Amino acid sequence: CDLFHELYPQPPYSAGHFVKFLKDCWGISATVCYFTNPTELDVKGTWEWDNDRRDSVTIRIESTMTDAQKKLTIIHECFHVIQDIDPSFLAMVEGCHPDIRLRVVERIAEKSAVEAVLPRHEYDRCKREKQTNLQIADRYRVSMRLVSNFRV
């Protein structure tokens, strides 16, 4: 998240910022597609490599989510792509039991996505300024649920 915030210092962030971040910093092109059939996938979002060169991915997002949920899910999936190519991350989870590895990978992607769209220091500053959760959600273009449950 630090590198992202260094390159893009002004919130609010869109999912497009993260797609651009994948390209600018990692050389990975990303295409976002939406699926509408809830039984097509049993998740809100997923991603896969488009080729063996690992320079292009397709991110699939459920179309029935709110815009704020779509944004967070796209960013979450971008972090999964980074996890898949980061040697230090791969080494960290290498010895984990598969069930534990899945939970660790998901939790880190989720926390990273939340921290990316609403950095902890920004949230704390807003609270010191006595901003309401609604004002914070509006400013950072995130859901009220995310702000209400904020725990990075």
Side-chain angles (χ1 to χ4, degrees), residues 25-149:
C25 293
W26 300 89
I28 300 168
S29 298
T31 302
V32 176
C33 301
Y34 296 92
F35 62 90
T36 55
N37 182 354
T39 60
E40 188 176 335
L41 296 171
D42 62 352
V43 294
K44 300 288 183 192
T46 187
W47 71 276
E48 64 184 352
W49 292 108
D50 293 334
N51 56 49
D52 291 338
R53 293 186 313 271
R54 295 167 57 112
D55 62 359
S56 176
V57 296
T58 299
I59 297 172
R60 291 182 176 78
I61 304 297
E62 184 183 348
S63 63
T64 59
M65 293 187 288
T66 67
D67 288 345
Q69 290 170 320
K70 287 176 187 173
K71 176 172 95 170
L72 195 64
T73 302
I74 291 168
I75 295 167
H76 174 102
E77 297 306 323
C78 286
F79 277 107
H80 279 316
V81 174
I82 294 168
Q83 288 172 338
D84 196 56
I85 60 171
D86 181 352
S88 61
F89 181 81
L90 294 170
M92 180 186 76
V93 297
E94 181 180 333
C96 294
H97 184 277
D99 291 341
I100 294 171
R101 182 181 319 129
L102 179 61
R103 282 185 276 174
V104 167
V105 165
E106 285 301 321
R107 183 68 177 138
I108 290 173
E110 187 66 25
K111 287 178 69 79
S112 298
V114 169
E115 172 68 18
V117 297
L118 179 55
R120 180 68 188 194
H121 68 277
E122 292 287 330
Y123 174 83
D124 291 343
R125 182 185 55 73
C126 290
K127 285 301 186 180
R128 280 192 307 274
E129 293 172 359
K130 307 289 189 220
Q131 292 182 28
T132 67
N133 285 350
L134 181 59
Q135 290 170 318
I136 297 169
D138 186 54
R139 177 176 181 176
Y140 291 93
R141 298 185 187 136
V142 296
S143 69
M144 275 290 295
R145 182 172 173 250
L146 185 146
V147 176
S148 298
N149 296 325

Side-chain angles (χ1 to χ4, degrees), residues 4 10-20 71-72 74-75 117 140-141:
F4 176 82
Q10 290 303 109
Y13 303 110
S14 69
H17 284 102
F18 287 86
V19 170
K20 185 175 178 350
K71 176 172 95 170
L72 195 64
I74 291 168
I75 295 167
V117 297
Y140 291 93
R141 298 185 187 136

